[in-house]
Amino acid sequence: FFFFFFMKIIYARLCAVFIAITFLNYNSFAQEIEISGRVTDGKDGSGLPGVGVVNITSKTGASTDINGSFKVKATVGNILEFRFLGYKTETRTVAAGVTTIGVVMNEETKTLSEAVVIGYGTMSKKDLSGSITSISSKDFQKGIITTPEQLIAGKAPGVQITSNGGSPGGGSTIRIRGGASLSASNDPLLVIDGIPVDNGGIAGSPNPLSLINPNDIETFTVLKDAAATAIYGSRASNGVIIITTKKGTKGAKPEFTISSQNSISTIVKKVDVLSADDFRALVNEQGSEDQKKLLGKYSTDWQKVIFQQALTSDNNISYGGSIGKLPFRISTGFLNQQGILRTDKMDRQSVGINLNPSLLDGSLKINLNLKGSRASNQFANGGAIGAAIGYDPTQPIFQTTDDGRRISPRFGGYREWLNGDGRPNSQASNNPLGLLSNRSNVSEVYRTLSNLTLDYAMPFLPELRANLNVGVDLAEGKGKTFVTDSAASNYLNKGSRTEYKQQKRAETIEFYLNYGKDLPSISSRIDFLAGTAYQNFWTKNYNYRPLNYKGDTLDKNVPNSARPKFPFDIPQNRLMSFYGRVNYIFKGKWNAYATIRQDGSSRFAPNNRWGFFPSAALSYRISDEAFLKYSKALSNLKIRASWGITGQQDIGDNYSYQSYFNIGNNNALYPFGDIYYNMARPGAYDPTRKWEQTATYNIALDYGFFKDRITGSIDVYMKKTSDLLNNVPTAAGSNFGDNITTNVGTLENKGIEFAINTIPIQTKDINWDLGFNATYNENKITKLNTSEDPNYPGAPTGGISGGIGNNAQINSVGFPANSFFVYKQVYENGKPVEGVFQDLNGDGKLTELDKYRFRQPAPRMFFGLSSNVTAYGFFLGFVIRANQGNYVYNNVQSNNGSLNSVLAQQSALSNVSVNYLESRFTGNSLYGNDDKRLLSDYYVKDASFIRMDNLNFGYNFGKVFNEKVNVAINGTIQNVFVITKYKGIDPEIGGGIDNNFYPRPRTYTLGLQLSF
């Protein structure tokens, strides 16, 4: 009875609830109304098209039209959410009697910082599926930075940036996840404000990027895996670096910024050679009587003679903001930089203009970029560095009498080694300072990079955008090299005078359609992109005849009629591309991403002209799951996986897929009577040459803890390059006198990247950012021949000074690229035994077959550590980099480290590096093994290092002068210290051969910045 009575009560209550719910739903349905309104930009009041308007309650939605207007169904109490990338999300609750809603949206600084530039657009950082690292201007390296790539050295995992030395504007070697090629370019594709630029260099410029003012750059975005790079297809096998320059801000009050940095640079370390007293002792002990008579009475530090304290001034002015609805930025820069090697300097003037207005209520976005620069260079004679190492330290700088008075204007007055006839000894080194002073090598280079981008949201469908990008990269370089007729280096030819000129033009036209739509009913968003691109690369090389100071130095037996008549040549190549991309996001946590690109290159025959480059990626944001969403410790956890194929055609060879004839040089003349003529002969060609392709696999984990106070990522990758474009010798008897570029071999890189960024302290007045990254990369050649040949040792490379035609490196199957290929030295009591090496193959003879592959120049691991602290207006930061497992062949020691380098001649002397005291190598050819000594593994040294690149500090005074001017001062020390066991001048040598290296200076900088 009680049971049935209790169930009756429950039943009655459930019926009452059911009736109430039914009534309420009916009442709500009956009151569903249409809400309309307009979404505007908080800065200028213009309508924002394409804003997602989502009814959170009913899971329905719409998008704003070209004017920012919208219509959506809702009932009283529903919540409407307004979403737009780069703006703060706004919410509105539908109130009774309200049918019109006005919404003002403002830019969200945090959201903007999370919007990462990708190929043809941007994407929220949390939605990325590919391996991408973005670095903004606040995190750049500080100090005197003359070329842009140096701004991010040590800042990105998997990206190794090695400066090519300390010369002004000397540039760097950039490698992303190791080199993907052997003979083709290993440089990444550079995209500046949407224009893929030609980074092949321009005559007269030490580095093409030195013509871009680093002060104008806002962000670097590095695309590393194929999912990120494949949208660029044909030139992306070595990664992509997207450079975005600074722009005006919509609605911002115009502001002037003036900055000035002035620095002094000094040499850090010199090559250790014998002092004048030690040198005298050595010659007096080991030299002949004639050689002893050559000794002078001076003590000259030749390296001190040729190096100097160098001054640099870098001044920049910019004016940017918004005038009405026109955002703009105008900038100009003036750089004057001396090199620490005397006579070396660079002057650069640059200008940048950026206009980015929005028209038609914001539906048409225009971006006009113009960057121009002029650089004048005076290049020092780099041969003076090697000459200063070897020149006799007992000799004076100038020709002098016994009482020290200078005599004779010959050779510019510099002391030189002479033959018995009074002419310079061509087998001896020239006076180092004379090499610098008696030669003038100047150039003048202009570059203009400009493009116009139009982005239009269709009025009938605001989610559909059309984007047109038209750009041109123009460059001209010209220069002259002049050596006086009295210079010892060119005395017999009565001096020399050469001239060159080159013009380059790269044209780009790109058009794509992009459709992005929120689908709230299925908790999704989908984006489509489809486009086409055309690029034309045109070069004009002017041919000038070399002349000597007093007449024509060309062979008098060759008449003018037999010399080339063409005043210039015009190599040219083109690329045509079609591409597409789809990105699907489900519930904000699943992201599927795919691209395809088809490229055609004029560098290949029609049958092989087109390459197809697909990619796919998938990511899963685990932290958005219910069981982790409200975790106080974990703020982000995402898994990424990707695969893709990219291509390579940057081989610098435009036409050798087809048969052609070359005009022979003066070494290939044919006589008709008494006159010799240049003859035409067939050149090597390969009609089957095709795209080099790199397949990349990547799996990664992104993480964040404690509201992203700790963030980072771990990436594991593998790159496999097939159909390597390699230079190989032509077959004997083929009548082709050249090497040929063809598809031979495979190569792979695999590794791990780790990055962690932390904010240990974050208060109102104190902020500390600390970041660390580490990369392990393993490189191996897996195939080099079209057929297996176990007896093929590989392709020699890495030419060295000393002997004739020696190479210290080789590319061999099963080993890293550019492995050192040397003899195994025998030691006794810890000292190398001259002329004694291990017979590795056991045949009782010491031959080429006993050489072995020993170490590699590229580091196995490299690291970066960055720190920035701001406190009460003060700031302090540093960047430290480290390499582990990189080896260097010390060619300075091998070429200057034996007794023979001192006493090779009876009429001249040469200094010796101090390693001679350790090894006691004679280097005498009587041993019959001097070439083998040069290729001893004794000279291959561990060059692992820790280097503090940068230490910067300063104080921001804030607003002064009635709060009208913001003032900040800063100081920087660059190349602060290096910790290494390597005894050469610097452990960080690109390519691994240490010889004639231009030292990296230590630079002290003071700067001032004013904003008003």
Side-chain angles (χ1 to χ4, degrees), residues 235-520:
R235 299 162 66 191
S237 60
N238 298 304
V240 179
I241 295 180
I242 300 175
I243 298 175
T244 304
T245 58
K246 296 175 181 176
K247 298 175 174 60
T249 303
K250 185 168 54 177
K253 184 178 179 180
E255 182 179 70
F256 272 107
T257 300
I258 301 174
S259 66
S260 179
Q261 295 189 103
N262 295 275
S263 71
I264 184 169
S265 299
T266 62
I267 188 169
V268 179
K269 184 179 180 181
K270 296 181 291 186
V271 175
D272 288 333
V273 295
L274 296 187
S275 67
D277 291 339
D278 289 339
F279 184 77
R280 287 189 189 93
L282 176 62
V283 175
N284 284 323
E285 177 187 342
Q286 299 284 344
S288 66
E289 291 301 317
D290 288 338
Q291 289 170 329
K292 294 175 185 178
K293 293 176 182 178
L294 296 176
L295 289 170
K297 61 181 181 180
Y298 295 85
S299 294
T300 305
D301 184 342
W302 287 103
Q303 293 180 80
K304 185 176 180 180
V305 168
I306 66 169
F307 291 113
Q308 64 180 354
Q309 288 188 335
L311 302 177
T312 298
S313 179
D314 187 12
N315 303 286
N316 292 274
I317 303 173
S318 66
Y319 181 53
S322 184
I323 299 178
K325 295 185 178 181
L326 176 62
F328 72 96
R329 185 178 186 271
I330 302 172
S331 65
T332 183
F334 305 90
L335 172 71
N336 180 280
Q337 184 178 28
Q338 293 179 335
I340 59 171
L341 184 61
R342 293 183 186 276
T343 73
D344 202 14
K345 66 178 182 179
M346 179 180 77
D347 292 326
R348 181 183 68 203
Q349 300 85 43
S350 62
V351 63
I353 300 174
N354 181 276
L355 306 175
N356 50 308
S358 297
L359 305 177
L360 305 177
D361 288 332
S363 61
L364 176 61
K365 300 183 187 303
I366 302 172
N367 199 335
L368 176 63
N369 292 288
L370 174 63
K371 285 170 283 292
S373 64
R374 172 192 175 274
S376 57
N377 303 280
Q378 182 171 311
F379 300 106
N381 187 344
I385 297 174
I389 295 170
Y391 208 81
D392 180 355
T394 69
Q395 304 301 327
I397 300 173
F398 300 97
Q399 301 177 64
T400 61
T401 61
D402 290 339
D403 59 0
R405 291 181 295 110
R406 297 187 189 182
I407 59 174
S408 178
R410 284 201 314 165
F411 322 125
Y414 295 99
R415 192 269 174 198
E416 299 285 356
W417 292 111
L418 305 178
N419 295 322
D421 58 4
R423 295 185 178 187
N425 182 346
S426 61
Q427 301 301 312
S429 177
N430 294 124
N431 186 300
L433 191 57
L435 288 171
L436 295 172
S437 301
N438 288 329
R439 189 181 84 154
S440 172
N441 183 356
V442 296
S443 74
E444 196 168 11
V445 185
Y446 300 86
R447 188 173 191 179
T448 300
L449 182 65
S450 60
N451 71 300
L452 173 66
T453 303
L454 304 176
D455 191 282
Y456 182 56
M458 301 296 178
F460 57 87
L461 189 60
E463 298 91 347
L464 179 64
R465 295 170 32 247
N467 186 288
L468 174 66
N469 185 14
V470 180
V472 63
D473 182 4
L474 300 174
E476 178 178 287
K478 56 185 178 181
K480 297 179 181 179
T481 301
F482 172 68
V483 181
T484 67
D485 63 334
S486 66
S489 61
N490 217 332
Y491 192 76
L492 298 180
N493 289 328
K494 299 179 181 179
S496 68
R497 184 173 60 210
T498 59
E499 185 176 358
Y500 58 87
K501 181 178 178 181
Q502 184 184 62
Q503 295 173 335
K504 301 187 81 171
R505 184 176 72 240
E507 302 156 336
T508 300
I509 301 176
E510 290 193 309
F511 176 80
Y512 66 81
L513 293 172
N514 181 222
Y515 178 81
K517 178 72 172 178
D518 284 319
L519 305 172

Side-chain angles (χ1 to χ4, degrees), residues 82-105:
F82 298 82
R83 306 170 182 167
F84 195 57
L85 182 62
Y87 287 74
K88 293 180 181 178
T89 297
E90 299 286 341
T91 59
R92 297 290 187 272
T93 301
V94 178
V98 175
T99 58
T100 304
I101 295 177
V103 178
V104 178
M105 298 189 73

Side-chain angles (χ1 to χ4, degrees), residues 64 80 204 293 384 392 414 541 638 665 780 837 970 983:
T64 58
L80 302 182
K293 293 176 182 178
D392 180 355
Y414 295 99
N541 298 310
K638 181 171 69 173
N665 54 32
K780 184 170 68 174
F837 305 94
N970 61 80
K983 295 182 180 180

Side-chain angles (χ1 to χ4, degrees), residues 465-691:
R465 295 170 32 247
N467 186 288
L468 174 66
N469 185 14
V470 180
V472 63
D473 182 4
L474 300 174
E476 178 178 287
K478 56 185 178 181
K480 297 179 181 179
T481 301
F482 172 68
V483 181
T484 67
D485 63 334
S486 66
S489 61
N490 217 332
Y491 192 76
L492 298 180
N493 289 328
K494 299 179 181 179
S496 68
R497 184 173 60 210
T498 59
E499 185 176 358
Y500 58 87
K501 181 178 178 181
Q502 184 184 62
Q503 295 173 335
K504 301 187 81 171
R505 184 176 72 240
E507 302 156 336
T508 300
I509 301 176
E510 290 193 309
F511 176 80
Y512 66 81
L513 293 172
N514 181 222
Y515 178 81
K517 178 72 172 178
D518 284 319
L519 305 172
S521 60
I522 55 173
S523 303
S524 301
R525 177 174 176 82
I526 193 161
D527 282 273
F528 294 99
L529 181 141
T532 183
Y534 169 82
Q535 284 191 280
N536 178 38
F537 300 93
W538 176 93
T539 302
K540 188 174 185 179
N541 298 310
Y542 290 79
N543 298 318
Y544 295 98
R545 296 195 316 183
L547 301 174
N548 74 343
Y549 186 61
K550 291 184 178 179
D552 192 339
T553 63
L554 293 176
D555 189 345
K556 300 300 183 182
N557 292 323
V558 182
N560 285 329
S561 60
R563 296 178 184 141
K565 297 180 181 296
F566 300 105
F568 50 78
D569 61 272
I570 308 178
Q572 188 173 9
N573 70 287
R574 297 184 177 92
L575 288 167
M576 187 73 188
S577 309
F578 302 93
Y579 53 86
R581 178 174 67 208
V582 60
N583 188 34
Y584 176 70
I585 302 172
F586 179 65
K587 291 188 175 181
K589 56 188 175 183
W590 288 94
N591 188 6
Y593 180 95
T595 68
I596 56 171
R597 180 160 178 143
Q598 190 170 32
D599 284 315
S601 171
S602 63
R603 285 173 164 159
F604 302 113
N607 290 341
N608 296 316
R609 183 153 292 170
W610 292 92
F612 180 70
F613 308 106
S615 77
L618 181 68
S619 65
Y620 172 41
R621 190 176 167 89
I622 307 173
S623 54
D624 279 356
E625 292 292 351
F627 66 94
L628 290 174
K629 195 168 186 178
Y630 300 103
S631 170
K632 293 182 178 180
L634 183 68
S635 51
N636 179 39
L637 186 63
K638 181 171 69 173
I639 296 175
R640 295 182 280 112
S642 67
W643 163 88
I645 296 175
T646 50
Q648 172 69 281
Q649 54 86 48
D650 193 1
I651 52 179
D653 179 357
N654 294 337
Y655 308 114
S656 63
Y657 65 85
Q658 57 187 342
S659 61
Y660 65 99
F661 283 79
N662 274 329
I663 300 297
N665 54 32
N666 288 344
N667 295 321
L669 301 173
Y670 193 85
F672 281 94
D674 295 332
I675 300 178
Y676 288 78
Y677 291 91
N678 296 92
M679 304 300 292
R681 60 177 180 175
Y685 74 101
D686 179 12
T688 65
R689 189 172 68 189
K690 58 184 178 180
W691 290 86

